[in-house]
Amino acid sequence: MELRRATVSDAQALSALSSTCFTQTFGHLYPPQDLSHFLDEAYAPAAWASLLSDPAYATWLLERGGVAIGYATAGACSLPHADVAPDDGELKRLYVLQEHQGGGRGSRLFNAAIAWLLRDGPRTLWIGVWSENHGAQRFYARHGFERVGDYDFVVGNTRDHEFILRRGA
């Protein structure tokens, strides 16, 4: 397995990978039209190209045989919490295709993103996680993150109850 920093040339591959991962993980929660609209907007190649060209964000790809099977994205925190400070960082996304989960693949992506977020020294880190994703919550708790708030994640007409997790500097 190769772990590498994604570039703008990976926008198309990330669009396909992120859409598949999101659908595998959460697709059952949404009406088809809401899911389709969300994926077309949030994970479009143009959206990825914009994100990948922004130096305030970074994305890593985990590849097996040259094929992307997982990714993580980190950057400035945009979670809706009163304590978020301008220099705080956030693990925005961490996904591995279902058929490749396990074996520490998610941990490799997580560690790369956290190391990048902490590259200039300690800072407060944040993560938003679906309230029913208990496995992810346990994973983040093992890494020092604690629940400090809630918010709604909107996909079309659906509002998901999300937890806001924080780890101090």
Side-chain angles (χ1 to χ4, degrees):
M1 300 269 174
E2 180 187 356
L3 180 66
R4 67 174 178 85
R5 179 96 177 256
T7 67
V8 174
S9 66
D10 294 308
Q12 188 69 42
L14 273 161
S15 175
L17 176 64
S18 59
S19 293
T20 300
C21 287
F22 190 88
T23 301
Q24 285 180 342
T25 308
F26 302 115
H28 66 284
L29 298 174
Y30 311 110
Q33 67 277 12
D34 287 349
L35 177 62
S36 178
H37 177 41
F38 175 79
L39 295 175
D40 289 347
E41 186 174 292
Y43 296 133
W48 272 110
S50 177
L51 189 70
L52 292 166
S53 64
D54 186 337
Y57 296 88
T59 297
W60 291 264
L61 282 170
L62 185 61
E63 297 175 323
R64 182 176 182 193
V67 176
I69 62 164
Y71 74 101
T73 298
C77 184
S78 60
L79 290 168
H81 193 281
D83 294 340
V84 171
D87 291 334
D88 290 354
E90 179 185 351
L91 177 62
K92 304 270 187 193
R93 300 171 186 162
L94 172 62
Y95 290 98
V96 176
L97 290 170
Q98 284 181 350
E99 60 270 24
H100 294 284
Q101 291 177 0
R105 292 174 182 102
S107 292
R108 285 184 68 193
L109 288 160
F110 174 85
N111 290 335
I114 297 301
W116 183 82
L117 286 166
L118 298 175
R119 69 197 180 284
D120 294 325
R123 69 195 241 189
T124 301
L125 301 178
W126 300 81
I127 298 170
V129 64
W130 183 41
S131 60
E132 299 300 314
N133 192 342
H134 304 294
Q137 292 169 41
R138 285 189 300 273
F139 176 84
Y140 296 134
R142 286 193 303 271
H143 291 279
F145 287 85
E146 298 179 73
R147 181 179 169 197
V148 296
D150 304 83
Y151 73 106
D152 286 339
F153 184 83
V154 178
V155 176
N157 293 315
T158 305
R159 293 184 168 356
D160 291 329
H161 183 212
E162 302 275 323
F163 293 156
I164 297 174
L165 310 179
R166 176 179 62 200
R167 185 173 91 180

